[in-house]
Amino acid sequence: CSAAQPSPTLPSVKATATSESKSALPNQVLAYSEGGDTLVNIYKNANPGVVSILVYSSQGAEGQGSGFVYDLDGHIITNYHVIENANEIEIDFPEGTRTRGKVIGTDVDSDLAVIKVDVPKDVLHPLPLGNSSDLEVGQFVIAIGSPFGFSGTMTTGIVSALGRILDSMRSSNSGISYAAGDTIQTDAAINPGNSGGPLLNLQGEVVGVNRAIYSGSLGVFSSTSYSGIGFAIPIDIVKRVVPSLINKGSYDYPYLGISSMDGLTMDEIEAMGFAPNIPGVYVLEVTAGGPAEKAGIRAGTHPTKYDNLYAGGDLITAIDGVSVKNYNQLLSYLFMHKSPGDTLVVTVLRNGKEKNFNVTLGSRSDL
């Protein structure tokens, strides 16, 4: 046998990379190439503001989740489904403090809740909030929470997609779920117990609130473990909703009064009488007496070869002059720019002609 040859010494990235070449590297590469210092520092700065939440029913321990400190007044943000039907809530801070919390505001549409705690200010470490509108697919993100009760667990991944639509936890009288739009999809490992914890960027800013995991036929609220598809509420929605939850305990979402969906096939679109290359929001149903119907927007009434799909309805192509290519963009515009009582201009394509309708928005809370 020949003698073993010494392995060549590889130059370290940190020692050889110039400032110019480093700036050209994506953030996630820098996070690792610098010995993981970026991730270590993010954890050191963020983890003191991430809490574990234990929920008790009249029978005892019922469930668990995560949350994070919003301000020095003792407000904690988490998911509504974490504290739903709780008789008692325990908040555990990383430095060892344990206290009971009181729910002061809930939002079933975006699945958010605010808990108030009474602890010394030096226990509270509010996390800085970023801007989810700046996120891009492929951007590195970090989740911190208490999966399966293991508090202070950090996982990493990327933004897998933007603008996903999930069902709201609010349903109409007919049992149809409303939509929660503009949701962030990530492959950062999220497991039961992570719900309500922060999703962070590499600046250590919260860009989302971890909400759910996807597990195929079981849906997004199942209790199964990580499958590579997680969802988070965008922080831009949180920044709009949470002040209202603190001040009055609820938030009023604007209500247009239509039903639609993304992902229709070419055959389905053509069956409704539209060219499949024209982007927009297909009005599949208009709520009787709702804002859209009152303004004159209409759904289809002519049966097609597809069940519950009718031709002759409107195709919404713009709102207030802003083009909407799909249902998520419509929901995102409403949630981020409009409130109940506001009037907006809805542009539709009807029988090949463009028409504008002035719509006064209602409130979901009135339904």
Side-chain angles (χ1 to χ4, degrees):
C1 296
S2 59
Q5 298 297 313
S7 299
T9 301
L10 297 177
S12 83
V13 175
K14 187 174 183 179
T16 60
T18 65
S19 59
E20 181 179 358
S21 63
K22 284 171 67 176
S23 65
L25 290 171
N27 287 337
Q28 54 264 45
V29 175
L30 287 177
Y32 290 116
S33 69
E34 296 185 350
D37 288 348
T38 299
L39 299 179
V40 170
N41 289 332
I42 289 173
Y43 184 81
K44 286 180 178 178
N45 290 328
N47 189 59
V50 182
V51 301
S52 297
I53 300 175
L54 299 178
V55 176
Y56 296 88
S57 69
S58 57
Q59 284 76 40
E62 182 77 12
Q64 61 188 25
S66 304
F68 63 92
V69 179
Y70 177 71
D71 59 25
L72 289 174
D73 292 327
H75 294 116
I76 307 291
I77 296 176
T78 187
N79 287 146
Y80 169 75
H81 78 264
V82 169
I83 53 83
E84 186 180 12
N85 300 322
N87 284 0
E88 187 176 306
I89 298 170
E90 177 184 319
I91 308 295
D92 294 351
F93 290 84
E95 47 78 63
T97 297
R98 295 187 177 188
T99 187
R100 290 182 175 87
K102 178 183 179 181
V103 177
I104 63 167
T106 59
D107 171 23
V108 296
D109 285 289
S110 287
D111 191 16
L112 290 169
V114 175
I115 301 170
K116 183 72 165 61
V117 296
D118 184 12
V119 296
K121 285 196 179 339
D122 61 359
V123 175
L124 299 168
H125 297 273
L127 299 188
L129 307 184
N131 298 297
S132 51
S133 58
D134 294 336
L135 288 175
E136 297 184 35
V137 174
Q139 183 173 335
F140 200 69
V141 285
I142 298 153
I144 302 179
S146 303
F148 302 108
F150 292 103
S151 62
T153 296
M154 178 180 186
T155 55
T156 61
I158 63 169
V159 174
S160 302
L162 296 167
R164 297 302 194 199
I165 296 177
L166 299 185
D167 284 344
S168 161
M169 296 183 72
R170 183 196 300 271
S171 298
S172 67
N173 292 332
S174 61
I176 298 174
S177 293
Y178 291 104
D182 218 20
T183 305
I184 302 163
Q185 181 183 328
T186 177
D187 70 348
I190 297 173
N191 288 291
N194 272 116
S195 292
L199 187 71
L200 305 151
N201 60 20
L202 283 183
Q203 287 70 50
E205 300 168 328
V206 183
V207 292
V209 179
N210 296 317
R211 178 186 175 189
I213 54 177
Y214 181 77
S215 54
S217 61
L218 296 178
V220 295
F221 286 107
S222 75
S223 59
T224 57
S225 58
Y226 170 71
S227 61
I229 299 180
F231 299 100
I233 306 156
I235 202 64
D236 289 355
I237 290 287
V238 176
K239 289 191 288 188
R240 191 170 171 90
V241 170
V242 164
S244 180
L245 298 187
I246 293 172
N247 292 327
K248 63 177 186 178
S250 62
Y251 180 79
D252 292 334
Y253 283 84
Y255 172 64
L256 181 59
I258 68 163
S259 294
S260 185
M261 64 181 296
D262 293 333
L264 293 171
T265 67
M266 291 179 64
D267 280 347
E268 289 171 333
I269 294 169
E270 288 170 343
M272 289 191 295
F274 294 103
N277 62 334
I278 299 177
V281 178
Y282 302 93
V283 181
L284 301 181
E285 184 178 344
V286 174
T287 303
E293 186 191 59
K294 289 179 180 178
I297 296 173
R298 68 189 189 193
T301 56
H302 309 303
T304 66
K305 62 181 179 180
Y306 296 99
D307 291 338
N308 301 316
L309 197 63
Y310 298 90
D314 293 330
L315 174 69
I316 298 175
T317 57
I319 297 180
D320 288 342
V322 179
S323 297
V324 288
K325 297 180 180 180
N326 51 52
Y327 193 33
N328 176 72
Q329 288 186 352
L330 182 150
L331 290 174
S332 179
Y333 182 86
L334 290 180
F335 291 170
M336 294 308 303
H337 301 286
K338 294 295 178 179
S339 299
D342 288 349
T343 298
L344 71 163
V345 179
V346 178
T347 303
V348 308
L349 192 64
R350 177 184 293 177
N351 298 326
K353 296 182 179 181
E354 197 171 85
K355 296 176 67 71
N356 290 320
F357 296 90
N358 293 319
V359 183
T360 301
L361 296 168
S363 170
R364 285 186 178 182
S365 62
D366 294 334
L367 304 174

